[in-house]
Amino acid sequence: MVWIDADPRVRYERIQANAHRRGRRSEDDKTFEEFMTEEAAEMQHDGDSATLNMLGVKEKSDVFVQNDTSDLEAFGKQIDQVLGL
């Protein structure tokens, strides 16, 4: 299993930029601190069968890929290398 992650600040900035382009500012307009609180809550599993245990998924991953670049071609090459393509 492959876990793809990015620095929290990078993820936050991507969400804000995408929300702005899609006209969803009010829904995704939150502070970085609010974003981090939500991220921490998503990583915890509360036993509800309708929620995904993100921390459990991360712990079971075999390969970890850091996605902090905005260069899609470089990221694609990194994925190809990880997958042995």
Side-chain angles (χ1 to χ4, degrees):
M1 184 176 338
V2 178
W3 179 268
I4 300 175
D5 207 349
D7 178 88
R9 181 61 71 174
V10 170
R11 289 194 316 271
Y12 174 76
E13 290 172 359
R14 286 175 179 166
I15 289 170
Q16 296 303 308
N18 285 334
H20 181 69
R21 279 194 296 270
R22 295 179 182 164
R24 295 176 45 191
R25 287 302 286 169
S26 62
E27 184 177 322
D28 291 320
D29 194 20
K30 57 188 79 166
T31 66
F32 180 68
E33 291 74 23
E34 291 168 329
F35 169 77
M36 289 303 297
T37 299
E38 289 180 8
E39 290 274 304
E42 289 175 2
M43 289 300 285
Q44 302 303 314
H45 188 257
D46 61 6
D48 181 355
S49 62
T51 62
L52 181 62
N53 181 357
M54 294 297 290
L55 185 57
V57 171
K58 183 176 181 178
E59 289 172 349
K60 290 181 180 183
S61 296
D62 304 302
V63 177
F64 296 86
V65 176
Q66 196 65 22
N67 180 20
D68 291 332
T69 183
S70 60
D71 183 344
L72 293 178
E73 186 175 334
F75 180 68
K77 288 178 182 177
Q78 182 181 8
I79 294 298
D80 287 349
Q81 183 179 22
V82 166
L83 298 177
L85 302 175

